[in-house]
Amino acid sequence: MTLKMTWYGHACFLIKTGKAKLLTDPFITGNPLSPVQANEVEADYILVSHGHGDHLGDTLDIAKRTGATVISNYEIQNWVVNQGLKNVHPQHIGGGFDYPWGRVKLTIAQHGSVLPDGTYGGNPCGFLFYIEGKKIYHACDTGLFYDMKLIGEEGIDLAILPIGDNFTMGPDDALRAIKLIEPIHAIPIHYDTFDIIKQDPHAWAHKVKEETSVKVTVMKPGDVFEL
Ligand code: NI
Ligand code: MN
């Protein structure tokens, strides 16, 4: 079955599997490029990579409205429970879990994770999805790290990588990440949302094409990628 992945900008994807709707890092309100409103977004599961506002985003509101289960590290899970959420599933770095729709494992990410009120948010993470025979690595916010090679050894169909620079990898390191991971497809994210992370994703895609055989898809917020 084809996975339909809608990009809502920044690090937010809605992944429609045959069994569930998965929403990653739902930064909708306050994202000038978001193609949707937080009160119309659907979700059965919300995955939160770290505590920063541009990733935690509208998690609380969307989870309260939809009843979606929040998947995140143990520290963020404690915090969202204290904010009134009941449907949660804590995991942590290196740990995977089999959900009715597939599996997700939390990977390392080189970044920070404090929550909006200053609460410690544990270690930030990326997501490695195993859904309907496909493997998707969503790096979320991270700098380049050599262990991406280990992630690549799993045989990645799609790598979702930040290219914005300043807070995360920039285009040059994202190209090095591509060479470590060797995915079939790649999608650049976490750029243009703010002036400080302005990038040319087409120039990056061109460079990837010149130096590797990885297929890059540059999306516009609201676009759907089928895998
Ligand atoms: Ni961040
Ligand atoms: Mn971010």
Side-chain angles (χ1 to χ4, degrees):
M1 176 152 178
T2 305
L3 298 177
K4 289 203 163 93
M5 306 179 53
T6 308
W7 189 41
Y8 289 151
H10 215 54
C12 183
F13 280 87
L14 178 68
I15 305 172
K16 285 189 184 163
T17 79
K19 292 189 174 152
K21 299 183 186 95
L22 320 177
L23 189 66
T24 66
D25 285 355
F27 173 51
I28 310 281
T29 304
N31 178 354
L33 303 182
S34 177
V36 286
Q37 304 283 323
N39 63 14
E40 59 183 345
V41 174
E42 303 172 283
D44 299 310
Y45 290 82
I46 302 172
L47 295 103
V48 181
S49 67
H50 64 290
H52 294 163
D54 61 320
H55 295 262
L56 179 73
D58 299 288
T59 294
L60 295 176
D61 285 346
I62 296 171
K64 280 176 188 160
R65 176 174 54 79
T66 61
T69 298
V70 174
I71 299 170
S72 66
N73 70 23
Y74 177 74
E75 291 83 357
I76 291 173
Q77 178 258 334
N78 274 349
W79 187 84
V80 299
V81 167
N82 286 336
Q83 310 299 313
L85 295 192
K86 293 192 175 65
N87 300 334
V88 294
H89 185 116
Q91 291 185 218
H92 230 304
I93 311 295
F97 186 80
D98 293 306
Y99 294 91
W101 44 267
R103 179 176 179 84
V104 66
K105 182 163 78 177
L106 304 195
T107 71
I108 61 168
Q110 300 289 11
H111 196 64
S113 181
V114 74
L115 286 150
D117 62 3
T119 303
Y120 173 61
N123 288 315
C125 72
F127 302 115
L128 185 45
F129 293 99
Y130 310 77
I131 307 172
E132 297 169 15
K134 287 154 196 158
K135 293 180 192 164
I136 302 168
Y137 170 47
H138 187 337
C140 303
D141 277 10
T142 187
L144 178 67
F145 55 90
Y146 197 73
D147 287 0
M148 285 180 177
K149 197 163 177 63
L150 287 175
I151 295 169
E153 281 174 9
E154 299 216 19
I156 302 299
D157 295 291
L158 168 65
I160 298 169
L161 302 173
I163 65 160
D165 216 349
N166 194 75
F167 297 116
T168 67
M169 292 188 285
D172 292 347
D173 278 354
L175 174 60
R176 296 170 74 192
I178 287 273
K179 291 174 181 174
L180 291 171
I181 302 162
E182 299 187 283
I184 296 171
H185 297 274
I187 295 174
I189 60 161
H190 211 276
Y191 62 90
D192 283 5
T193 319
F194 315 110
D195 284 345
I196 200 168
I197 55 171
K198 276 244 181 287
Q199 294 296 340
D200 180 348
H202 296 283
W204 183 74
H206 187 73
K207 242 186 170 173
V208 172
K209 196 178 172 186
E210 270 182 351
E211 298 189 23
T212 76
S213 56
V214 176
K215 297 176 202 128
V216 174
T217 300
V218 174
M219 299 179 78
K220 289 190 293 296
D223 281 356
V224 178
F225 179 83
E226 297 195 355
L227 182 68

PDB file of all heavy atoms in Angstrom, residues 10 49-55 111-113 124 140-142 167-168 190, ligand 1:
ATOM      1  N   HIS A  10       8.027  23.003   7.848  1.00  0.00           N
ATOM      2  CA  HIS A  10       8.985  22.806   8.932  1.00  0.00           C
ATOM      3  C   HIS A  10       9.261  21.311   9.128  1.00  0.00           C
ATOM      4  O   HIS A  10       9.689  20.669   8.175  1.00  0.00           O
ATOM      5  CB  HIS A  10       8.477  23.509  10.193  1.00  0.00           C
ATOM      6  CG  HIS A  10       9.572  24.096  11.021  1.00  0.00           C
ATOM      7  ND1 HIS A  10      10.498  24.958  10.523  1.00  0.00           N
ATOM      8  CD2 HIS A  10       9.888  23.936  12.346  1.00  0.00           C
ATOM      9  CE1 HIS A  10      11.345  25.307  11.486  1.00  0.00           C
ATOM     10  NE2 HIS A  10      10.998  24.686  12.603  1.00  0.00           N
ATOM     11  N   SER A  49       9.479  15.194  18.616  1.00  0.00           N
ATOM     12  CA  SER A  49      10.910  14.869  18.635  1.00  0.00           C
ATOM     13  C   SER A  49      11.659  15.547  19.767  1.00  0.00           C
ATOM     14  O   SER A  49      12.641  15.018  20.270  1.00  0.00           O
ATOM     15  CB  SER A  49      11.555  15.255  17.303  1.00  0.00           C
ATOM     16  OG  SER A  49      11.554  16.668  17.150  1.00  0.00           O
ATOM     17  N   HIS A  50      11.230  16.756  20.142  1.00  0.00           N
ATOM     18  CA  HIS A  50      11.874  17.469  21.247  1.00  0.00           C
ATOM     19  C   HIS A  50      10.976  18.615  21.701  1.00  0.00           C
ATOM     20  O   HIS A  50       9.918  18.843  21.115  1.00  0.00           O
ATOM     21  CB  HIS A  50      13.280  17.933  20.874  1.00  0.00           C
ATOM     22  CG  HIS A  50      13.373  18.939  19.768  1.00  0.00           C
ATOM     23  ND1 HIS A  50      13.102  18.642  18.442  1.00  0.00           N
ATOM     24  CD2 HIS A  50      13.729  20.250  19.794  1.00  0.00           C
ATOM     25  CE1 HIS A  50      13.305  19.723  17.708  1.00  0.00           C
ATOM     26  NE2 HIS A  50      13.659  20.718  18.495  1.00  0.00           N
ATOM     27  N   GLY A  51      11.401  19.286  22.769  1.00  0.00           N
ATOM     28  CA  GLY A  51      10.507  20.225  23.445  1.00  0.00           C
ATOM     29  C   GLY A  51      10.403  21.621  22.849  1.00  0.00           C
ATOM     30  O   GLY A  51       9.553  22.407  23.279  1.00  0.00           O
ATOM     31  N   HIS A  52      11.229  21.967  21.879  1.00  0.00           N
ATOM     32  CA  HIS A  52      11.210  23.328  21.330  1.00  0.00           C
ATOM     33  C   HIS A  52       9.853  23.652  20.707  1.00  0.00           C
ATOM     34  O   HIS A  52       9.207  22.783  20.118  1.00  0.00           O
ATOM     35  CB  HIS A  52      12.321  23.508  20.293  1.00  0.00           C
ATOM     36  CG  HIS A  52      13.699  23.412  20.890  1.00  0.00           C
ATOM     37  ND1 HIS A  52      14.826  23.210  20.136  1.00  0.00           N
ATOM     38  CD2 HIS A  52      14.111  23.493  22.181  1.00  0.00           C
ATOM     39  CE1 HIS A  52      15.893  23.170  20.941  1.00  0.00           C
ATOM     40  NE2 HIS A  52      15.468  23.338  22.180  1.00  0.00           N
ATOM     41  N   GLY A  53       9.480  24.926  20.818  1.00  0.00           N
ATOM     42  CA  GLY A  53       8.152  25.357  20.377  1.00  0.00           C
ATOM     43  C   GLY A  53       7.845  25.077  18.922  1.00  0.00           C
ATOM     44  O   GLY A  53       6.684  24.850  18.563  1.00  0.00           O
ATOM     45  N   ASP A  54       8.869  25.077  18.066  1.00  0.00           N
ATOM     46  CA  ASP A  54       8.627  24.837  16.639  1.00  0.00           C
ATOM     47  C   ASP A  54       8.547  23.336  16.315  1.00  0.00           C
ATOM     48  O   ASP A  54       8.561  22.953  15.137  1.00  0.00           O
ATOM     49  CB  ASP A  54       9.690  25.533  15.775  1.00  0.00           C
ATOM     50  CG  ASP A  54      11.099  25.040  16.045  1.00  0.00           C
ATOM     51  OD1 ASP A  54      11.430  24.807  17.214  1.00  0.00           O
ATOM     52  OD2 ASP A  54      11.875  24.884  15.080  1.00  0.00           O
ATOM     53  N   HIS A  55       8.400  22.510  17.371  1.00  0.00           N
ATOM     54  CA  HIS A  55       8.227  21.054  17.174  1.00  0.00           C
ATOM     55  C   HIS A  55       7.090  20.535  18.043  1.00  0.00           C
ATOM     56  O   HIS A  55       6.191  19.868  17.564  1.00  0.00           O
ATOM     57  CB  HIS A  55       9.545  20.319  17.439  1.00  0.00           C
ATOM     58  CG  HIS A  55      10.572  20.701  16.435  1.00  0.00           C
ATOM     59  ND1 HIS A  55      10.845  19.943  15.334  1.00  0.00           N
ATOM     60  CD2 HIS A  55      11.309  21.833  16.317  1.00  0.00           C
ATOM     61  CE1 HIS A  55      11.734  20.586  14.577  1.00  0.00           C
ATOM     62  NE2 HIS A  55      12.027  21.736  15.162  1.00  0.00           N
ATOM     63  N   HIS A 111      21.090  17.990  19.416  1.00  0.00           N
ATOM     64  CA  HIS A 111      20.281  19.204  19.510  1.00  0.00           C
ATOM     65  C   HIS A 111      19.957  19.447  20.979  1.00  0.00           C
ATOM     66  O   HIS A 111      20.569  18.831  21.856  1.00  0.00           O
ATOM     67  CB  HIS A 111      19.007  18.966  18.665  1.00  0.00           C
ATOM     68  CG  HIS A 111      18.247  20.191  18.317  1.00  0.00           C
ATOM     69  ND1 HIS A 111      18.748  21.192  17.523  1.00  0.00           N
ATOM     70  CD2 HIS A 111      16.994  20.588  18.647  1.00  0.00           C
ATOM     71  CE1 HIS A 111      17.824  22.139  17.378  1.00  0.00           C
ATOM     72  NE2 HIS A 111      16.756  21.796  18.070  1.00  0.00           N
ATOM     73  N   GLY A 112      18.973  20.305  21.296  1.00  0.00           N
ATOM     74  CA  GLY A 112      18.500  20.530  22.660  1.00  0.00           C
ATOM     75  C   GLY A 112      17.047  20.122  22.755  1.00  0.00           C
ATOM     76  O   GLY A 112      16.468  19.646  21.779  1.00  0.00           O
ATOM     77  N   SER A 113      16.425  20.277  23.934  1.00  0.00           N
ATOM     78  CA  SER A 113      15.043  19.790  24.041  1.00  0.00           C
ATOM     79  C   SER A 113      14.243  20.420  25.165  1.00  0.00           C
ATOM     80  O   SER A 113      13.259  19.866  25.625  1.00  0.00           O
ATOM     81  CB  SER A 113      15.031  18.266  24.210  1.00  0.00           C
ATOM     82  OG  SER A 113      13.715  17.778  24.282  1.00  0.00           O
ATOM     83  N   PRO A 124      16.747  15.105  22.721  1.00  0.00           N
ATOM     84  CA  PRO A 124      15.978  15.187  21.476  1.00  0.00           C
ATOM     85  C   PRO A 124      16.157  13.901  20.684  1.00  0.00           C
ATOM     86  O   PRO A 124      17.111  13.158  20.916  1.00  0.00           O
ATOM     87  CB  PRO A 124      16.606  16.362  20.747  1.00  0.00           C
ATOM     88  CG  PRO A 124      18.022  16.367  21.228  1.00  0.00           C
ATOM     89  CD  PRO A 124      17.974  15.910  22.663  1.00  0.00           C
ATOM     90  N   CYS A 140      14.485  15.006  12.104  1.00  0.00           N
ATOM     91  CA  CYS A 140      14.023  16.111  12.957  1.00  0.00           C
ATOM     92  C   CYS A 140      15.148  17.143  13.096  1.00  0.00           C
ATOM     93  O   CYS A 140      15.855  17.361  12.150  1.00  0.00           O
ATOM     94  CB  CYS A 140      13.511  15.587  14.293  1.00  0.00           C
ATOM     95  SG  CYS A 140      12.175  14.376  14.061  1.00  0.00           S
ATOM     96  N   ASP A 141      15.333  17.760  14.271  1.00  0.00           N
ATOM     97  CA  ASP A 141      16.382  18.775  14.409  1.00  0.00           C
ATOM     98  C   ASP A 141      17.671  18.106  14.839  1.00  0.00           C
ATOM     99  O   ASP A 141      17.734  17.509  15.914  1.00  0.00           O
ATOM    100  CB  ASP A 141      16.004  19.797  15.489  1.00  0.00           C
ATOM    101  CG  ASP A 141      15.081  20.874  14.970  1.00  0.00           C
ATOM    102  OD1 ASP A 141      14.580  20.733  13.845  1.00  0.00           O
ATOM    103  OD2 ASP A 141      14.864  21.860  15.702  1.00  0.00           O
ATOM    104  N   THR A 142      18.697  18.222  14.023  1.00  0.00           N
ATOM    105  CA  THR A 142      19.981  17.645  14.413  1.00  0.00           C
ATOM    106  C   THR A 142      21.116  18.242  13.604  1.00  0.00           C
ATOM    107  O   THR A 142      20.914  18.726  12.492  1.00  0.00           O
ATOM    108  CB  THR A 142      19.984  16.100  14.242  1.00  0.00           C
ATOM    109  OG1 THR A 142      21.195  15.573  14.798  1.00  0.00           O
ATOM    110  CG2 THR A 142      19.858  15.675  12.796  1.00  0.00           C
ATOM    111  N   PHE A 167      20.292  26.396  13.191  1.00  0.00           N
ATOM    112  CA  PHE A 167      19.846  25.564  14.319  1.00  0.00           C
ATOM    113  C   PHE A 167      20.105  24.068  14.082  1.00  0.00           C
ATOM    114  O   PHE A 167      20.022  23.261  15.021  1.00  0.00           O
ATOM    115  CB  PHE A 167      18.343  25.734  14.563  1.00  0.00           C
ATOM    116  CG  PHE A 167      17.938  27.131  14.947  1.00  0.00           C
ATOM    117  CD1 PHE A 167      17.103  27.872  14.122  1.00  0.00           C
ATOM    118  CD2 PHE A 167      18.367  27.701  16.140  1.00  0.00           C
ATOM    119  CE1 PHE A 167      16.709  29.150  14.474  1.00  0.00           C
ATOM    120  CE2 PHE A 167      17.978  28.981  16.500  1.00  0.00           C
ATOM    121  CZ  PHE A 167      17.152  29.712  15.660  1.00  0.00           C
ATOM    122  N   THR A 168      20.296  23.693  12.839  1.00  0.00           N
ATOM    123  CA  THR A 168      20.427  22.273  12.451  1.00  0.00           C
ATOM    124  C   THR A 168      21.497  22.168  11.356  1.00  0.00           C
ATOM    125  O   THR A 168      22.113  23.173  11.007  1.00  0.00           O
ATOM    126  CB  THR A 168      19.112  21.722  11.846  1.00  0.00           C
ATOM    127  OG1 THR A 168      18.878  22.383  10.595  1.00  0.00           O
ATOM    128  CG2 THR A 168      17.925  21.931  12.786  1.00  0.00           C
ATOM    129  N   HIS A 190      12.807  21.977   7.307  1.00  0.00           N
ATOM    130  CA  HIS A 190      13.340  22.902   8.312  1.00  0.00           C
ATOM    131  C   HIS A 190      14.153  24.026   7.671  1.00  0.00           C
ATOM    132  O   HIS A 190      15.274  24.327   8.083  1.00  0.00           O
ATOM    133  CB  HIS A 190      14.177  22.127   9.351  1.00  0.00           C
ATOM    134  CG  HIS A 190      14.164  22.735  10.731  1.00  0.00           C
ATOM    135  ND1 HIS A 190      15.009  23.744  11.105  1.00  0.00           N
ATOM    136  CD2 HIS A 190      13.397  22.492  11.821  1.00  0.00           C
ATOM    137  CE1 HIS A 190      14.787  24.079  12.367  1.00  0.00           C
ATOM    138  NE2 HIS A 190      13.794  23.337  12.825  1.00  0.00           N
TER     139      HIS A 190
HETATM  140 NI    NI B   1      14.726  22.550  17.913  1.00  0.00          NI
END
